[in-house]
Structures are given as C-alpha cells and as structure tokens.
C-alpha cells in the first residue's frame, strides 16, 4: 500500500494505492499517473506535512512501514523543526517506530533532512548525484 501526500504550503491531497503482489501493474500504473500530475507551488511545509503523515499512520491497518520524504527545498512555512522534534518524541508504538527516509535532491538542505532521518531512525538517500529510481530501490532494500 502506497499513500501519496503531495505538499507545498500544506498537504494538498491524500491518495492511497494498493499494489497487489500477484498483479502489481494496475497499482503501479495508478501511482505513476498520480506522480506525473505533481507540480511544485507554494511554500515548503516539510514538518507540517510530516506531522500529517504520522497522524495518517494506522488508518489503513498494518500497511505502513515507512515515510519517504521528497522535497526539493528547505522548510519555509508551518511547523518549525524543534516543534516537530517535540511532536515526534510524543508518538508511541507503531507511529514512533516508523522511520522517515528523506531523499535529497534539488535545493534540499542536507543537514535538515539528515536530522529528520536520524531522529526517526531512517536514513538519508542522496538523489542529487543519482536517480530517484535508484533512491527508491535503495529504500526498498533498506526496509
């Protein structure tokens, strides 16, 4: 199960796709269709979006194992880093055990994304000198 939560100044939408292992084509096609529609606009609310992603966890059963954060910029609006740290530390159970895997590309702030990965037990993946496909393959292997 893959949930896409595109964001700018806030989360724009929440769309969940199921990829059936017996026939993954339909699920993957729907994910590709949604990702092709993505566009950058507004500010960048990284921490607000992460909080909403954590709040969304568990609504679909035991289907979420990680959060992949893709941003080409720095946090410019919404929740501040220290407030997200407090929010994260207040989580319990499966939510607290869910790592964030940020993908570095564009003008992302490496230090900011590394902190998120370290805080949540995730790992930073660098797509600035590689491909997004390669980063996703690495994430799948890391899990």
């Amino acid at each position: 199960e893959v949930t896409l939560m595109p964001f700018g100044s806030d989360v724009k939408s929440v769309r969940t796709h199921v990829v059936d292992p017996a026939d993954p084509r339909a699920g993957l096609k729907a994910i590709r269709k949604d990702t092709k529609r993505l566009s950058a606009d507004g500010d960048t609310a990284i921490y607000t979006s992460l909080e909403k992603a954590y709040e969304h966890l568990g609504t679909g059963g035991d289907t979420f194992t990680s959060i992949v954060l893709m941003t080409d910029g720095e946090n410019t609006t919404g929740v501040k880093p220290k407030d997200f740290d407090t929010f994260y530390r207040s989580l319990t159970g499966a939510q607290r055990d869910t790592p964030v895997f940020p993908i570095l590309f564009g003008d992302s702030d490496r230090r900011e994304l590394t902190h998120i990965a370290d805080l949540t037990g995730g790992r930073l993946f660098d797509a600035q000198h590689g491909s997004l496909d390669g980063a996703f393959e690495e994430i799948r292997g890391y899990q």
Side-chain angles (χ1 to χ4, degrees):
E1 188 169 296
V2 175
T3 299
L4 301 173
M5 297 178 78
F7 68 94
S9 301
D10 201 353
V11 172
K12 298 175 184 179
S13 65
V14 178
R15 293 190 42 100
T16 300
H17 303 280
V18 176
V19 180
D20 182 349
D23 183 17
R25 286 184 293 201
L28 294 173
K29 182 178 177 182
I31 292 167
R32 283 187 194 100
K33 182 178 176 183
D34 273 357
T35 56
K36 285 181 181 179
R37 287 191 233 164
L38 295 175
S39 63
D41 65 338
D43 290 321
T44 305
I46 292 172
Y47 299 103
T48 299
S49 300
L50 282 174
E51 285 188 5
K52 289 185 179 183
Y54 272 104
E55 290 166 358
H56 187 76
L57 289 173
T59 60
D62 293 332
T63 56
F64 290 90
T65 59
S66 65
I67 296 170
V68 177
L69 171 65
M70 293 177 41
T71 180
D72 64 353
E74 298 177 22
N75 190 65
T76 59
T77 192
V79 174
K80 303 295 180 209
K82 67 178 181 170
D83 297 321
F84 174 76
D85 289 4
T86 300
F87 167 84
Y88 176 78
R89 289 186 180 107
S90 74
L91 297 173
T92 59
Q95 285 182 316
R96 177 83 180 254
D97 294 338
T98 302
V100 176
F101 297 108
I103 299 177
L104 182 69
F105 69 101
D107 294 326
S108 300
D109 181 337
R110 178 180 290 274
R111 194 179 88 230
E112 181 174 55
L113 298 182
T114 298
H115 173 74
I116 292 167
D118 290 346
L119 174 70
T120 64
R123 180 177 155 209
L124 178 69
F125 291 88
D126 188 340
Q128 286 184 319
H129 305 293
S131 71
L132 285 175
D133 288 344
F136 279 110
E137 286 178 28
E138 278 191 77
I139 290 169
R140 292 295 297 161
Y142 189 79
Q143 297 173 338

